[in-house]
């Protein structure tokens, strides 16, 4: 099985800062461990390093090409938060460039390979991508659909999410909803997005279309490797660690108010870490240590120092940072919003309204052991919900079922006789594996016109692949031209 992953990199200048990339890498790690017939391709920008993609492994190929992410790097737009620049990343969710499409052709089809599934996280451009893949595969001639395109939905852009944004609106939202509905499948990162999809897609699509989309959809979660964090607690709290972006939805003013209250009541100091610049109004306080534009090492050092954290975000889709903090022994206080219950037990006590977070934090400090016990229970729950193995297993199962369903639907007939004959010939030579290009060449001896079977207008590359699968061969998962191995 061959799968192309296309993640959305919403922080294009720093690939490691994109949770979308981490999610997909966790899947790939689990897929490769479970299925030795799998090969994974990635379509990413040139600045994404090999280690982020597991591209050092034989069964992983990085396809690098320039996406449509150009803009004026000096332009700034504070609509998503102080100092936030939309210029470099406004098109990270955009369409496909000629450079990218040619790269897919060069690294897959020019090497005699194929794709079973494409997991596409971009919000637009799917129609263009689909046309290009059809062009490469003689889709009209194939007995089964050569490939499935799965919409990988991260942070569905519904109205309450784009009210602060200068370039999002109903048009983008409706196109994203429709594009997901008409894909071959949908993977939602978060239950919140699946619920929002039902609510908003029914405004523009028939209810039965929405029901059918959701009936076959997955909720993948956003896997976190909890073994990477050490859950340790002090006997009493000394530091509040506030981490993450300075965007408006995060409730930064309310967070700093909590810090000020805890310092006045208990002398607790605040550590700020953010990948963004931190405005002086937040940093220049005698009880705050600020780390603007913090790298991963600075963030991890703060994970080790902090005792308590607060998440005041209005909405998230499977947030990582607050749960990494909790797993590092920082007691987590949360704003009571629907999205948190995708990860948080319904009875978690350290929850309150936006204006009540300081009171909840004070209660946690005054009843520290109870708060620590609650946080331990929270971490154990999140560890199950965000388990990388579970996420890898359910996504791989979906991919496998798509391929297996087509193999069962593929009916061998007389058009496959040249393939049978070529395989019989190879087996008589003692071969139990055969490369696709070798097999195509061997079929020339068994066709009426002396040309490869796939040169026929009625016999597509997908027919050759599924004939092989139906005759007891599986893809060896190797790079370059696929080599099929007899089961």
């Amino acid at each position: 099985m061959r799968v192309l992953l296309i993640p959305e990199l919403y922080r294009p200048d720093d690939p490691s800062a994109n949770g979308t990339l981490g999610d997909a890498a966790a899947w790939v790690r689990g897929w490769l461990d479970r299925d030795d017939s799998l090969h994974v391709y990635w379509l990413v920008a040139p600045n994404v390093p090999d280690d982020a993609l597991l591209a050092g492994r034989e069964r992983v190929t990085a396809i690098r090409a320039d996406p449509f992410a150009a803009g004026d790097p000096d332009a700034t737009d504070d609509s998503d938060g102080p100092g936030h620049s939309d210029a470099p990343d406004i098109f990270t969710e955009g369409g496909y460039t000629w450079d990218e499409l040619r790269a897919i052709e060069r690294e897959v089809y020019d090497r005699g390979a194929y794709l079973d599934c494409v997991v596409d996280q971009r919000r637009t451009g799917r129609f263009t991508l689909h046309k290009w893949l059809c062009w490469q595969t003689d889709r009209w001639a194939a007995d089964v659909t050569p490939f499935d395109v799965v919409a990988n939905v991260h942070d569905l852009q519904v109205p309450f999410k784009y009210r602060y944004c200068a370039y999002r609106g109903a048009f983008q939202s409706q196109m994203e909803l429709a594009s997901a509905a008409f894909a071959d499948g949908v993977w939602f990162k978060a239950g919140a997005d699946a619920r929002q999809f039902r609510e908003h897609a029914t405004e523009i699509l028939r209810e039965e279309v929405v029901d059918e989309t959701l009936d076959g959809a997955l909720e993948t979660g956003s896997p976190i490797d909890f073994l990477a964090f050490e859950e340790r607690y002090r006997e009493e709290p000394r530091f509040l660690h506030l981490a993450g972006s300075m965007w408006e939805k995060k409730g930064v003013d309310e967070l700093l108010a909590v810090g000020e209250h805890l310092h006045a009541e208990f002398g607790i100091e605040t550590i700020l870490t953010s990948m963004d610049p931190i405005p002086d109004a937040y940093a220049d306080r005698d009880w705050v240590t600020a780390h603007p534009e913090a790298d991963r090492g600075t963030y991890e050092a703060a994970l080790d120092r902090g005792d308590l954290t607060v998440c005041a975000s209005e909405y998230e889709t499977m947030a990582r940072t607050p749960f990494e903090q909790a797993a590092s022994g920082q007691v987590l206080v949360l704003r009571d919003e629907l999205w948190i219950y995708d990860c948080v037990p319904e009875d978690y006590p350290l929850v309150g309204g936006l204006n009540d977070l300081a009171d909840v934090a004070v209660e946690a400090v005054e009843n520290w052991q109870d708060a620590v016990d609650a946080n331990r229970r929270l971490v154990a729950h999140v560890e199950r919900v965000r388990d990388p193995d579970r996420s890898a297993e359910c996504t791989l199962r979906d991919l496998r079922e798509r391929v297996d369903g087509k193999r069962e639907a593929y009916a061998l007939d007389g058009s496959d006789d040249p393939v049978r004959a070529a395989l019989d010939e190879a087996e008589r030579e003692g071969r139990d594996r055969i490369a696709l290009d070798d097999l195509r060449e061997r079929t020339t001896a068994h066709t009426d016109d002396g040309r490869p079977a796939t040169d026929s207008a009625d016999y597509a590359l997908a027919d050759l692949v599924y004939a092989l699968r139906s005759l007891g061969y599986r893809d060896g998962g190797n790079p370059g031209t696929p080599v099929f191995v007899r089961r």
Side-chain angles (χ1 to χ4, degrees):
M1 181 168 65
R2 293 184 176 253
V3 179
L4 172 62
L5 286 177
I6 308 171
E8 179 202 337
L9 301 185
Y10 49 85
R11 289 186 180 269
D13 295 333
D14 183 2
S16 67
N18 296 269
T20 51
L21 196 61
D23 292 345
W27 296 336
V28 172
R29 192 174 291 107
W31 296 349
L32 295 176
D33 289 344
R34 287 170 169 80
D35 188 344
D36 62 5
S37 69
L38 179 73
H39 193 92
V40 175
Y41 302 90
W42 296 82
L43 179 63
V44 291
N47 67 325
V48 179
D50 278 355
D51 58 357
L53 311 172
L54 285 73
R57 302 197 184 188
E58 184 185 14
R59 293 188 287 125
V60 178
T61 297
I63 303 175
R64 291 188 170 86
D66 286 322
F68 186 39
D72 178 0
D74 297 323
T76 58
D77 176 1
D78 287 347
S79 62
D80 278 346
H84 182 71
S85 172
D86 275 339
D89 58 5
I90 186 173
F91 294 117
T92 60
E93 59 193 27
Y96 290 90
T97 64
W98 178 246
D99 192 39
E100 290 179 306
L101 297 176
R102 275 291 294 122
I104 294 171
E105 180 183 38
R106 181 177 62 250
E107 298 296 332
V108 179
Y109 299 104
D110 286 354
R111 295 172 180 262
Y114 62 94
L115 296 171
D116 287 304
C117 297
V118 179
V119 182
D120 175 27
Q121 197 166 50
R122 296 191 188 172
R123 301 180 205 279
T124 60
R126 196 165 297 140
F127 178 57
T128 300
L129 175 67
H130 189 270
K131 275 200 300 184
W132 185 246
L133 297 177
C134 288
W135 179 261
Q136 304 298 328
T137 56
D138 291 338
R139 184 184 186 280
W140 61 272
D143 283 357
V144 293
T145 305
F147 58 87
D148 279 7
V149 178
V150 175
N152 183 16
V153 176
H154 157 71
D155 199 16
L156 190 71
Q157 293 307 311
V158 292
F160 71 88
K161 291 184 182 180
Y162 58 69
R163 66 182 181 277
Y164 303 121
C165 184
Y167 61 88
R168 291 176 181 147
F171 177 79
Q172 179 196 10
S173 179
Q174 291 169 1
M175 291 301 100
E176 184 184 7
L177 293 166
S179 179
F182 298 131
D184 297 304
V186 185
W187 293 356
F188 290 102
K189 173 185 274 196
D193 275 350
R195 293 188 293 272
Q196 292 296 328
F197 180 88
R198 180 178 294 282
E199 177 182 343
H200 293 281
T202 50
E203 296 173 1
I204 60 170
L205 299 171
R206 292 175 59 155
E207 191 169 339
E208 53 266 39
V209 173
V210 177
D211 288 342
E212 184 178 354
T213 299
L214 291 173
D215 285 347
L218 289 186
E219 290 181 22
T220 65
S222 179
I224 297 176
D225 179 10
F226 281 84
L227 295 176
F229 306 96
E230 189 172 357
E231 190 179 356
R232 295 185 301 175
Y233 300 91
R234 286 195 182 95
E235 291 192 9
E236 59 181 38
R238 293 172 49 203
F239 294 101
L240 171 70
H241 176 205
L242 302 177
S245 62
M246 300 280 112
W247 299 343
E248 176 137 2
K249 71 172 184 176
K250 303 287 188 174
V252 182
D253 289 334
E254 287 79 10
L255 291 175
L256 268 291
V258 173
E260 186 171 25
H261 195 97
L262 292 179
H263 185 259
E265 287 275 330
F266 307 105
I268 291 173
E269 297 181 21
T270 294
I271 303 168
L272 288 180
T273 59
S274 178
M275 291 179 289
D276 297 329
I278 297 176
D280 292 343
Y282 302 142
D284 292 346
R285 306 186 188 199
D286 59 6
W287 43 272
V288 171
T289 301
H291 300 282
E293 299 178 323
D295 59 18
R296 183 74 190 185
T298 302
Y299 166 67
E300 289 177 352
L303 289 182
D304 192 50
R305 284 187 81 196
D307 304 298
L308 184 71
T309 188
V310 182
C311 177
S313 187
E314 179 187 3
Y315 61 86
E316 296 289 345
T317 45
M318 285 275 169
R320 284 176 175 268
T321 302
F323 301 110
E324 291 179 352
Q325 292 179 267
S328 302
Q330 298 183 10
V331 168
L332 176 57
V333 173
L334 286 152
R335 177 176 174 175
D336 191 6
E337 295 288 344
L338 185 61
W339 70 265
I340 70 172
Y341 298 105
D342 284 336
C343 296
V344 175
E346 295 282 349
D347 60 352
Y348 186 63
L350 303 179
V351 170
L354 181 61
N355 297 320
D356 302 321
L357 294 175
D359 292 337
V360 178
V362 167
E363 184 180 342
V365 173
E366 291 178 339
N367 302 277
W368 185 242
Q369 191 53 55
D370 289 344
V372 167
D373 291 343
N375 197 72
R376 288 189 188 278
R377 292 193 298 274
L378 167 70
V379 172
H381 178 84
V382 178
E383 197 168 355
R384 292 190 295 274
V385 173
R386 308 287 289 270
D387 177 43
D389 282 342
R390 185 201 69 80
S391 188
E393 185 172 347
C394 76
T395 49
L396 180 61
R397 185 187 310 119
D398 184 72
L399 297 172
R400 282 248 65 97
E401 287 175 353
R402 293 177 185 282
V403 172
D404 289 345
K406 293 176 188 178
R407 181 179 53 78
E408 291 167 5
Y410 187 83
L412 289 164
D413 59 24
S415 65
D416 300 297
D417 286 347
V419 179
R420 292 179 195 266
L423 288 174
D424 288 344
E425 178 184 88
E427 288 175 11
R428 285 195 298 271
E429 295 171 4
R431 300 186 181 208
D432 61 358
R433 60 184 60 224
I434 190 164
L436 264 185
D437 54 1
D438 183 20
L439 178 61
R440 293 167 83 167
E441 183 60 30
R442 284 173 176 266
T443 61
T444 61
H446 308 284
T447 57
D448 293 337
D449 58 7
R451 297 188 302 162
T454 50
D455 281 8
S456 167
D458 299 321
Y459 201 83
L461 176 64
D463 295 327
L464 182 69
V465 169
Y466 278 96
L468 271 165
R469 287 170 170 160
S470 300
L471 292 166
Y473 282 75
R474 65 175 180 82
D475 194 325
N478 62 292
T481 303
V483 175
F484 274 74
V485 182
R486 196 161 33 144
R487 293 181 186 275

